[in-house]
């Protein structure tokens, strides 16, 4: 609610709904003209200001979508197959994408 009140535009990032950019306090990002292009988007000035604040100041960023989990045990592969979109049950020591 606090992010929405500050004009956050939300999108899906790895299954997590995250604030992608901010239209600014009191403005509704869903009513902003959303023009997608290969150039600078309509929301670039807001995005640029946020990134400048990151480079020149201090921020706190939620990176929950990049979490790692240790899943182990006899049925670990079966469980991961159930919650994943692909067959990830494989040999120990192998990486599956």
């Amino acid at each position: 609610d606090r992010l929405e009140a500050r004009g956050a535009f939300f999108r899906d990032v790895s299954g997590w709904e995250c604030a992608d950019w901010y239209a600014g306090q009191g403005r509704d990002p869903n009513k902003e003209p959303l023009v997608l292009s290969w150039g600078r988007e309509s929301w670039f000035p807001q995005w640029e200001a946020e990134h400048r604040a990151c480079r020149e100041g201090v921020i706190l960023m939620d990176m929950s979508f990049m979490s790692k989990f240790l899943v182990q045990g006899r049925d670990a592969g079966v469980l991961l197959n159930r919650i994943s979109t692909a067959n990830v049950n494989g040999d120990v020591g192998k990486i599956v994408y």
Side-chain angles (χ1 to χ4, degrees), residues 48-97:
E48 178 184 33
E50 183 178 341
H51 283 258
R52 188 171 306 282
C54 296
R55 286 196 310 264
E56 298 172 359
V58 177
I59 67 161
L60 180 63
M61 188 178 294
D62 179 3
M63 300 295 284
S64 301
F65 65 92
M66 296 186 77
S67 298
K68 294 181 181 180
F69 301 93
L70 174 62
V71 181
Q72 55 189 11
R74 186 188 74 216
D75 293 325
V78 174
L79 171 70
L80 291 173
N81 273 354
R82 179 156 175 80
I83 63 175
S84 299
T85 60
N87 182 8
V88 297
N89 192 2
D91 297 333
V92 173
K94 298 284 183 175
I95 296 174
V96 178
Y97 288 96

Side-chain angles (χ1 to χ4, degrees), residues 6-76:
R6 292 183 176 267
F9 177 82
F10 294 93
R11 73 179 188 109
D12 173 74
V13 178
S14 301
W16 292 82
E17 184 180 51
C18 300
D20 192 29
W21 55 272
Y22 291 83
Q25 193 132 9
R27 294 173 60 191
D28 184 349
N30 296 305
K31 292 183 179 171
E32 299 284 323
L34 187 60
V35 179
L36 299 177
S37 73
W38 292 105
R40 291 185 175 173
E41 308 293 350
S42 58
W43 40 264
F44 180 82
Q46 296 92 319
W47 183 87
E48 178 184 33
E50 183 178 341
H51 283 258
R52 188 171 306 282
C54 296
R55 286 196 310 264
E56 298 172 359
V58 177
I59 67 161
L60 180 63
M61 188 178 294
D62 179 3
M63 300 295 284
S64 301
F65 65 92
M66 296 186 77
S67 298
K68 294 181 181 180
F69 301 93
L70 174 62
V71 181
Q72 55 189 11
R74 186 188 74 216
D75 293 325

